[in-house]
Amino acid sequence: MSTVALPPLSDILASARVVSLPLAARFRGIETREALLFEGPQGWAEFSPFVEYADVEAATWLAGAIDFGWRPSPPAVRDLVAVNATMPAVAASEVPRILARYDGCRTVKVKVAEAGQTLADDVARVRAVREAMGPEGRVRVDANGAWNVDEAERAIHALAEFDLEYVEQPCAEVDELAELRERVGYLDIPIAADESVRKAADPLRVARAGAADLLVIKAQPLGGVHAAREIVAHAGLPAVVSSALDTSIGLSMGVALAASLPDLDYDCGLGTAALFTADVVASPLVARDGVLSLERPRPRSADLDRVEASEERRDWWMDRLRRCYALVEVTRG
C-alpha cells in the first residue's frame, strides 16, 4: 500500500495546537481528553493516542494523522453515516441523562467490566439502556478485554436477556476470543474485536483465527484511513468504524473511512463528541437524527483558544510529537 510522503516536522509544528476537552461523565478513567491538532494541505488532522501509550504505538497514530492531513481521502459511497450512542460505566440512574445528549441514535454501546464495579452493575446499566431504547433499539456492550474466558461467559449469559447486538472485545487475547466464541456460539451473540485489531502486531490475526464475527476499526490507531480500509478489505469480516474519544477533527477521519467502505452494516461508534462539554469547533460533529454528515470541520483560532491545554501539557505533547515523528521517519526509511 502506498503512503503519503512524510512532510517536514516543521510543517506539522507550524500549526500544531494542544487542546484539553472536558467530559460530561468520567470515561476510560479520565475526565478530560487531550489531543494535538495540526493542519495539512487536505485540512486539519488529529494526533491523540492516550497518554499511557508508549511511543512505538503512538507513532502509528501520528502516521494516521499525517495521512489524513496530507493525503486525499478515498471516494465516498455514502453522504451520511449512522452512529451509536456511547454509554460510559455510569450508575443505572444516570443512563437517561447520558442518552439525552444523543439525538435520534437507534443503537447504544454500553461500557462494561469497569475496574471497581461488578457484574451486577453492568446488568443494571444494560437493563436501564434496554428499557430506555425499547425492544426496537440496538444494544451492544464493550468490555475492553477486561474479562477472562470464564468471566466473559458468565457475563454474556447474564446479559443475554437484553438482546445484545454483539459483545466487543470481551477478552484480551485472540486465543481467548476464539475459545469464548465456541462456548457461547449457541446464544447467537456475535463477538467483535477491537484491541485485537488496533493494538496487535498483526491486525488480521484475529480474523484468520476465526476468533471474531466482526471487527471494530479505528482509523488513527491503524495508521490512517487508507491503511484501515486495507485491513477491512483483507479481513473479509463486517466492520464497525469507531473512534478513540476523538475531538470533532478526529471523528471526521472516522466518518471519511466509514463513508468510503463498500459495506457498512452496523451503526458506527463515531458519536462520542456528545460526551464532551466543549469541542474544538463551534459546531461539533454530533449526530442529528442518529447520523453524521460527511464533512471536515475547520477550527477557528478562537475555538482552539477556548480549549487550549496548559503550557506544561503543551510541552509534553510537543515532545511526544517530536519523538513519534522520529519513529515514523525511521519506518519510512
Side-chain angles (χ1 to χ4, degrees):
M1 183 190 70
S2 62
T3 57
V4 66
L6 188 64
L9 177 59
S10 58
D11 287 2
I12 298 174
L13 291 171
S15 60
R17 299 288 301 267
V18 179
V19 299
S20 179
L21 307 186
L23 289 159
R26 191 174 179 84
F27 190 85
R28 274 189 99 263
I30 60 175
E31 295 177 349
T32 58
R33 179 70 165 114
E34 296 178 342
L36 188 152
L37 310 177
F38 53 81
E39 187 177 16
Q42 299 298 323
W44 282 83
E46 175 174 334
F47 171 57
S48 58
F50 291 103
V51 295
E52 68 270 21
Y53 288 3
D55 287 350
V56 170
E57 182 175 358
T60 304
W61 295 58
L62 179 58
I66 292 170
D67 179 84
F68 194 53
W70 269 260
R71 187 177 181 185
S73 294
V77 297
R78 59 185 62 82
D79 296 324
L80 299 174
V81 174
V83 299
N84 63 259
T86 299
M87 184 59 58
V90 297
S93 60
E94 289 289 291
V95 164
R97 179 180 69 85
I98 300 296
L99 287 181
R101 302 185 69 86
Y102 294 88
D103 180 47
C105 293
R106 63 183 178 178
T107 303
V108 183
K109 179 167 84 169
V110 186
K111 290 292 184 177
V112 294
E114 181 86 351
Q117 296 188 6
T118 66
L119 179 56
D121 296 321
D122 294 337
V123 171
R125 185 181 314 111
V126 176
R127 176 180 286 114
V129 169
R130 170 53 70 197
E131 290 173 353
M133 296 298 291
E136 299 301 318
R138 305 175 186 184
V139 179
R140 55 184 70 156
V141 299
D142 180 10
N144 291 113
W147 292 321
N148 62 37
V149 177
D150 289 339
E151 290 169 336
E153 183 179 16
R154 184 162 57 250
I156 291 172
H157 276 281
L159 297 169
E161 66 175 287
F162 304 116
D163 188 23
L164 299 181
E165 184 181 33
Y166 62 74
V167 179
E168 181 177 331
Q169 200 69 45
C171 304
E173 303 299 328
V174 170
D175 293 345
E176 292 177 317
L177 293 179
E179 180 181 348
L180 177 66
R181 190 164 174 256
E182 288 186 4
R183 287 195 195 183
V184 301
Y186 70 94
L187 291 172
D188 197 30
I189 298 175
I191 302 297
D194 175 10
E195 284 86 349
S196 290
V197 179
R198 65 180 170 88
K199 295 178 76 71
D202 178 2
L204 293 174
R205 181 184 167 218
V206 68
R208 286 198 302 268
D213 300 284
L214 62 146
L215 304 182
V216 177
I217 300 293
K218 296 176 179 176
Q220 193 186 165
L222 291 171
V225 172
H226 297 87
R229 287 184 86 251
E230 288 286 318
I231 291 169
V232 173
H234 286 100
L237 291 175
V240 180
V241 179
S242 191
S243 67
L245 199 58
D246 301 339
T247 76
S248 286
I249 302 299
L251 290 175
S252 70
M253 186 190 307
V255 174
L257 171 60
S260 75
L261 294 179
D263 301 301
L264 197 65
D265 299 327
Y266 293 87
D267 293 348
C268 292
L270 298 170
T272 50
L275 294 174
F276 296 127
T277 59
D279 207 327
V280 298
V281 288
S283 298
L285 204 61
V286 294
R288 304 285 184 238
D289 293 326
V291 300
L292 294 178
S293 58
L294 181 60
E295 60 181 278
R296 188 140 186 179
R298 181 177 178 83
R300 301 171 303 178
S301 181
D303 298 328
L304 297 175
D305 289 344
R306 279 194 294 270
V307 289
E308 187 172 23
S310 68
E311 184 176 353
E312 177 185 4
R313 297 308 299 162
R314 181 184 183 279
D315 291 345
W316 186 92
W317 275 94
M318 291 299 183
D319 287 343
R320 189 187 207 189
L321 171 63
R322 293 183 178 93
R323 297 194 308 270
C324 290
Y325 180 90
L327 292 174
V328 175
E329 201 170 27
V330 169
T331 62
R332 299 287 178 91

